[in-house]
Amino acid sequence: MLDMAISDRAAHFFDSREAIVGVFEPGNGSLALERIGTIMQFARHETIFSESDVARHAYRVLKGSVCLSRVMIDGRRQIAQFLSAGDMFALDDNDEHSLTAEALTDVTLVSYPRSQVERLSDDMPEVRRELMASLRRELSAAQDHVVMLGRQTAAERVASFMLQLAKRRGARDRVEFPMSRQDIADYLGLTIETVCRELSELKKLCVIATPDRHHAIIRDFAALEMIALGDA
Amino acid sequence: MLDMAISDRAAHFFDSREAIVGVFEPGNGSLALERIGTIMQFARHETIFSESDVARHAYRVLKGSVCLSRVMIDGRRQIAQFLSAGDMFALDDNDEHSLTAEALTDVTLVSYPRSQVERLSDDMPEVRRELMASLRRELSAAQDHVVMLGRQTAAERVASFMLQLAKRRGARDRVEFPMSRQDIADYLGLTIETVCRELSELKKLCVIATPDRHHAIIRDFAALEMIALGDA
DNA sequence: CGCCAACTTGATGGAAGTCAAATCCAGTGG
DNA sequence: CCACTGGATTTGACTTCCATCAAGTTGGCG
């Protein structure tokens, strides 16, 4: 049902409601939000919006992974956030987006016109609570990210990142990377070479195993936590 | 009126309403919030709350400066945010604070019981809008901070920081540092020595002057902007 | 099977950290 | 008023971690 051509990216939500309900933990307010949403699809590596584009919509990820990044004039790139199913983004109220959103994998989104979101959040306590909760989660995550980039070593960042991915998908020992090594480096504020070296080091220490490039297995959770916190 | 003894830190807001109205841009909702607030005072370097303290209140800065930081087990410290008059903090809804709040100068705050804030934000659109606006501003600032820590050089960070302070107080050329060099270093993810060296470099280039330790004058705004963006 | 992009590993250099010492004040007491 | 003291800041010498540059290696896909 969602395999519509990419060129025909927008379809009204009503066409495929069942596909959406249940993808994320709804909270009653979501139903109201969904009614005003439009489904969109993007292929891997496509840009959803760019920094400084006019910002008319807020989004929710239904399927796949998205990243928010900023690119400096000389090409340095920093990823501010990885998003997966259930996450909302572009919730700020500037006229222009302050970050670029790109699809890491093939992605299905719902977009909500901002004017409507605002109106709904005034009228419906559930919608409002969900938006607030989303903003708070993102703020808290951003603050953790600040600490990591400001004060952790390369080894600590890579270990923390693995733990973060493991926690997010609930799995205690199996981690999936939907993103490339370059994306990981740009999230961790490192180079791709350093990320590789640190992963190799973790392999050598038998803390992790990497069956393929997009998966890892945590063999020694406690050791990984130690490394993330700076041995101690 | 606000010179009550530090030991007698809490006084009901009604005692000094006039002192507060007008300190920040109120937005009508503030009046409702203020009615449930309690005034508190802290001296320079005092801790307002610590990471992992039970979080019962949200706060607004009325006067002075506050910083939010995290300290790692081995003592590394990262400041996530500097706050000044008008700013709100501790708006998340975890049971425990995720950051430590310290007074950089003598500080006057209002604290709001969280239960009440939540109730009010349901009942009063203005309060809600103000909270949301606050969260969005903080998220946006945190994302900028992430980019800085992830991808900017020491010189760029120091220059960006000066511009940030200049912009915040509206002054085009006069900057005030309420915080110590160590605090600046902990905000920028650098050491105190590196901050000093970069400030000295800016002085040598005649981009800034430092009449005393807590003030700077921007002599060449354009040059400072160039340096902040990586020359180019 | 071979190509090409993504990844990994190795060698070297540089930006920022660490350690150490000098200097500057703000506040104190004579 | 001024010398004194201790903490904050500044400057200098050296080291380290991570970036850069370079050369393989892997594996997904035509």
Side-chain angles (χ1 to χ4, degrees), chain B residues 181 193 196-197 200 213:
Chain B
R181 293 285 187 272
E193 293 94 332
C196 276
R197 274 188 263 268
S200 298
R213 287 167 174 181

Side-chain angles (χ1 to χ4, degrees), chain A residues 182-212:
Chain A
Q182 184 61 61
D183 291 330
I184 297 175
D186 288 347
Y187 179 78
L188 297 180
L190 301 170
T191 59
I192 188 173
E193 293 94 331
T194 299
V195 170
C196 274
R197 273 188 262 271
E198 295 303 338
L199 286 174
S200 297
E201 182 65 18
L202 289 174
K203 265 190 289 187
K204 203 168 65 184
L205 296 172
C206 295
V207 174
I208 65 167
T210 55
D212 72 81

Side-chain angles (χ1 to χ4, degrees), chain B residues 37-51:
Chain B
T38 300
I39 295 232
M40 305 178 81
Q41 300 230 323
F42 292 88
R44 192 164 131 80
H45 296 148
E46 269 193 292
T47 298
I48 296 161
F49 55 75
S50 295
E51 204 175 330

Side-chain angles (χ1 to χ4, degrees), chain A residues 1-20:
Chain A
M1 189 190 308
L2 295 176
D3 287 331
M4 65 189 86
I6 295 298
S7 57
D8 180 22
R9 189 165 288 142
H12 272 89
F13 175 65
F14 296 119
D15 300 341
S16 54
R17 177 175 302 176
E18 305 79 2
I20 290 170

Side-chain angles (χ1 to χ4, degrees), chain B:
Chain B
M1 188 188 306
L2 294 177
D3 287 331
M4 66 190 86
I6 295 296
S7 58
D8 180 21
R9 190 166 288 142
H12 272 90
F13 174 65
F14 296 120
D15 300 341
S16 53
R17 177 175 303 178
E18 305 77 3
I20 290 171
V21 173
V23 170
F24 48 91
E25 68 318 15
N28 293 336
S30 298
L31 291 173
L33 257 186
E34 280 154 22
R35 201 158 293 131
I36 60 166
T38 300
I39 295 232
M40 305 178 81
Q41 300 230 323
F42 292 88
R44 192 164 131 80
H45 296 148
E46 269 193 292
T47 298
I48 296 161
F49 55 75
S50 295
E51 204 175 330
S52 85
D53 279 1
V54 178
R56 284 192 234 285
H57 300 273
Y59 301 84
R60 186 200 298 275
V61 180
L62 295 184
K63 196 156 171 303
S65 297
V66 170
C67 75
L68 304 182
S69 66
R70 187 169 300 158
V71 177
M72 298 173 64
I73 44 288
D74 59 4
R76 280 175 286 177
R77 175 169 177 262
Q78 176 64 44
I79 291 180
Q81 216 175 348
F82 288 123
L83 301 156
S84 48
D87 293 330
M88 302 196 66
F89 61 105
L91 297 178
D92 55 305
D93 60 356
N94 300 325
D95 293 342
E96 299 184 353
H97 290 292
S98 63
L99 298 164
T100 296
E102 294 166 273
L104 288 174
T105 61
D106 292 352
V107 154
T108 310
L109 306 174
V110 204
S111 75
Y112 309 106
R114 285 192 174 184
S115 51
Q116 308 262 15
V117 171
E118 190 159 340
R119 198 172 46 68
L120 268 187
S121 87
D122 278 347
D123 297 346
M124 310 213 34
E126 292 302 330
V127 172
R128 169 163 74 247
R129 262 186 248 286
E130 198 184 342
L131 286 177
M132 280 245 195
S134 226
L135 282 171
R136 285 196 270 240
R137 256 198 314 276
E138 284 179 41
L139 178 59
S140 177
Q143 287 170 337
D144 290 348
H145 201 179
V146 161
V147 174
M148 173 168 161
L149 297 180
R151 291 300 182 210
Q152 286 188 278
T153 65
E156 290 163 13
R157 293 182 207 193
V158 171
S160 299
F161 181 67
M162 303 274 303
L163 290 171
Q164 193 177 303
L165 288 184
K167 184 184 286 180
R168 180 183 299 196
R169 55 197 316 268
R172 264 264 150 292
D173 60 352
R174 197 159 219 90
V175 175
E176 183 180 2
F177 310 117
M179 68 294 284
S180 70
R181 293 285 187 272
Q182 184 61 62
D183 290 331
I184 297 175
D186 287 347
Y187 179 78
L188 297 180
L190 301 170
T191 60
I192 188 173
E193 293 94 332
T194 300
V195 170
C196 276
R197 274 188 263 268
E198 295 303 338
L199 286 174
S200 298
E201 182 64 18
L202 288 175
K203 265 190 289 188
K204 204 169 65 185
L205 296 172
C206 295
V207 174
I208 64 167
T210 55
D212 73 81
R213 287 167 174 181
H214 291 286
H215 295 271
I217 293 165
I218 301 178
R219 291 214 178 290
D220 189 342
F221 202 86
L224 198 59
E225 284 183 318
M226 292 281 281
I227 294 170
L229 295 173
D231 269 338

